């Protein structure tokens, strides 16, 4: 449990607190696409804010060679299927694809999702980590350092391509960066991210927020511009409240096939609404 004084020092605030949002990551494994489509529709109807998938080629749990679907094509389908929720990968693997191609795919999904208004696509990205993806699909796995260097190199290229595409994206596409590495990843977050996602508990989050703030100071960035995202996982309400007190406002719930149990989502949406009403009042 963090102390009141240390919590206040760690919060990346400086203006009005962002509203709490709930995202659900639909792991694209061990289920038919029909079931994935049905689950996405049910979650949008429930009122979640964001639907995520992940960018892998094989299941991460359960039967290693079980049913699995590809991320970007699924996101395009979800963009067409849905009308309100934001969508994105948690997270895209930067090193699978050319940076300019990623930018173009993101812009295209942005337009598919717009339906007469602004797009709903979030460009969630990271450096990649699951070696089997690389080995079986013929990508160079490299090292943690080389993959992070590639991410740092490619993000400016992606932003530049967004400025040159015709038509341009419908909005400034939010960039979500996942990962908690303190020397490289958080520096990249400070430079490029609109959202930072990690799996940190409150104690770890507090430390990393201080490091992120220092990276932001060095690069001349206002750290309050960055939305803080964490995974709910099996955490209790009290543990999530601790994260929220530190400044986290986007909370994600992971669900997996074959059944996609969404029974607990409504409770977290009620918690979201209560927190937002509390701060609005």
């Amino acid at each position: 449990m963090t102390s009141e004084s240390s919590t206040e020092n760690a919060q990346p605030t400086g203006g009005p607190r962002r509203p709490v949002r709930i995202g659900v990551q639909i792991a694209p494994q061990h289920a038919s696409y029909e079931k994935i489509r049905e689950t996405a529709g049910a979650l949008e109807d429930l009122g979640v804010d964001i639907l995520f998938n992940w960018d892998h080629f094989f299941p991460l749990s359960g039967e290693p060679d079980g049913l699995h679907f590809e991320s970007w094509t699924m996101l395009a389908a979800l963009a067409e299927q849905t009308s309100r929720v934001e969508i994105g990968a948690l997270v895209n693997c930067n090193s699978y694809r050319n940076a300019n191609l990623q930018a173009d795919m993101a812009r295209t999904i942005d337009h598919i999702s717009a339906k007469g208004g602004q797009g709903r696509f979030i460009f969630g990205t990271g450096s990649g980590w699951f070696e089997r993806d690389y080995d079986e699909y013929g990508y160079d796995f490299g090292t943690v350092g080389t993959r992070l260097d590639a991410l740092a190199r490619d993000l400016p290229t992606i932003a530049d391509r967004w400025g040159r595409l015709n038509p341009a994206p419908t909005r400034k596409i939010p960039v979500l960066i996942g990962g908690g590495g303190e020397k490289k990843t958080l520096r990249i977050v400070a430079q490029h991210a609109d959202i930072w996602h990690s799996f940190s508990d409150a104690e770890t989050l507090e430390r990393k927020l201080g490091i992120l703030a220092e990276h932001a100071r060095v690069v001349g960035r206002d750290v309050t511009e960055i939305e803080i995202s964490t995974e709910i996982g099996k955490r209790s309400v009290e543990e999530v409240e601790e994260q929220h007190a530190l400044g986290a406002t986007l909370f994600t719930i992971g669900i997996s096939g074959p059944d996609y149990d969404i029974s607990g989502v409504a409770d977290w949406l009620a918690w979201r609404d209560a927190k937002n009403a509390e701060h609005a009042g």
Side-chain angles (χ1 to χ4, degrees):
M1 180 74 69
T2 56
S3 68
E4 183 176 355
S5 59
S6 63
T7 298
E8 289 176 352
N9 290 335
Q11 281 192 24
T13 56
R17 181 184 282 274
R18 297 173 184 272
V20 172
R21 303 197 291 165
I22 298 292
V24 177
Q25 183 185 49
I26 304 172
Q29 61 178 13
H30 306 307
S32 68
Y33 190 74
E34 181 180 9
K35 183 63 176 179
I36 292 171
R37 182 193 299 116
E38 173 190 312
T39 302
L43 288 168
E44 182 172 48
D45 290 345
L46 269 179
V48 303
D49 298 291
I50 307 171
L51 295 179
F52 292 110
N53 62 13
W54 67 36
D55 189 19
H56 295 287
F57 304 130
F58 302 95
L60 297 184
S61 63
E63 168 55 47
D65 294 313
L67 298 176
H68 198 276
F69 290 97
E70 192 275 330
S71 172
W72 280 86
T73 44
M74 180 182 297
L75 290 171
L78 291 175
E80 188 61 60
Q81 173 188 344
T82 58
S83 59
R84 179 190 56 77
V85 290
E86 290 188 283
I87 55 172
L90 195 65
V91 287
N92 167 64
C93 178
N94 175 68
S95 49
Y96 297 161
R97 307 169 187 89
N98 170 276
N100 287 284
L101 174 61
Q102 292 180 69
D104 206 341
M105 292 191 298
R107 180 281 312 255
T108 299
I109 296 176
D110 169 71
H111 276 265
I112 293 170
S113 68
K115 300 184 178 180
Q118 284 196 333
R120 296 175 286 118
F121 183 72
I122 294 173
F123 184 66
T125 194
S127 59
W129 62 273
F130 189 41
E131 189 168 4
R132 185 185 181 191
D133 289 333
Y134 291 81
D135 291 346
E136 296 217 23
Y137 276 58
Y139 296 110
D140 179 22
F141 187 55
T143 66
V144 172
T146 60
R147 294 193 301 275
L148 283 168
D149 290 343
L151 180 63
R153 177 198 68 216
D154 289 345
L155 283 167
T157 300
I158 291 166
D160 177 71
R161 177 59 59 184
W162 282 336
R164 293 193 284 151
L165 288 168
N166 184 17
T170 67
R171 64 172 181 169
K172 181 186 181 301
I173 296 175
V175 173
L176 178 156
I177 296 176
E182 297 175 3
K183 292 182 178 179
K184 285 191 173 184
T185 303
L186 290 181
R187 184 173 71 241
I188 297 170
V189 170
Q191 291 174 310
H192 301 290
D194 300 291
I195 307 167
W196 170 51
H197 180 82
S198 76
F199 299 92
S200 304
D201 58 25
E203 182 179 359
T204 304
L205 181 64
E206 184 172 18
R207 186 184 76 253
K208 289 183 184 290
L209 284 174
I211 295 167
L212 176 61
E214 177 58 21
H215 282 305
R217 186 193 66 77
V218 170
V219 302
R221 180 93 185 274
D222 181 354
V223 74
T224 66
E225 297 174 357
I226 303 170
E227 184 174 15
I228 307 304
S229 170
T230 64
E231 184 186 42
I232 289 174
K234 296 181 179 179
R235 294 189 174 101
S236 66
V237 172
E238 291 74 20
E239 290 171 311
V240 174
E241 291 273 7
E242 286 187 85
Q243 295 173 321
H244 181 250
L246 288 165
T249 54
L250 173 55
F251 298 91
T252 65
I253 301 165
I255 57 174
S256 178
D259 298 321
Y260 294 117
D261 180 8
I262 64 173
S263 60
V265 174
D267 289 341
W268 285 110
L269 293 175
W271 175 81
R272 173 201 66 185
D273 294 344
K275 298 304 290 186
N276 288 338
E278 173 186 326
H279 288 287

